[in-house]
Amino acid sequence: VLIYIEKVIYSKPNVIILWSDGTKTRSTCDENDVWNPELGLTLSVMKKIMGQNFVSKLFKDWAVESSVFELMSNKSEKNMVE
């Protein structure tokens, strides 16, 4: 059975996908992040395909911590100025 997207709802800070099998997936932007609807759509599709638990574990195991990301960003900006 082919499952497809019936509707996508962009309601900041959420992206909600309604699927043809009657289920829905939701991605919610953290209040400390910048809302990106394309990223929300991607994450919602990943949750449907891979499962919520797998996606949560994936980001827990592999996401860059914000402090590390800020350090890398500052270093990149500094290199660009030099």
Side-chain angles (χ1 to χ4, degrees):
V1 176
L2 179 64
I3 298 172
Y4 56 90
I5 295 172
E6 286 193 336
K7 185 174 183 179
V8 178
I9 302 166
Y10 297 99
S11 177
K12 192 174 182 179
N14 300 302
V15 174
I16 303 164
I17 299 178
L18 304 178
W19 297 93
S20 62
D21 65 354
T23 61
K24 67 180 176 180
T25 53
R26 174 192 317 257
S27 295
T28 303
C29 180
D30 187 78
E31 63 185 33
N32 297 320
D33 289 334
V34 176
W35 189 64
N36 181 326
E38 291 84 9
L39 180 58
L41 178 66
T42 302
L43 289 172
S44 291
V45 170
M46 286 178 63
K47 288 179 182 182
K48 180 65 175 178
I49 294 170
M50 300 173 163
Q52 170 69 40
N53 292 337
F54 181 84
V55 173
S56 294
K57 183 172 178 4
L58 177 75
F59 280 91
K60 181 178 179 244
D61 291 348
W62 293 102
V64 176
E65 292 180 32
S66 60
S67 58
V68 173
F69 181 72
E70 288 170 10
L71 180 63
M72 290 169 41
S73 294
N74 291 338
K75 191 172 185 178
S76 294
E77 289 173 7
K78 189 176 181 181
N79 289 339
M80 291 174 74
V81 172
E82 293 175 349

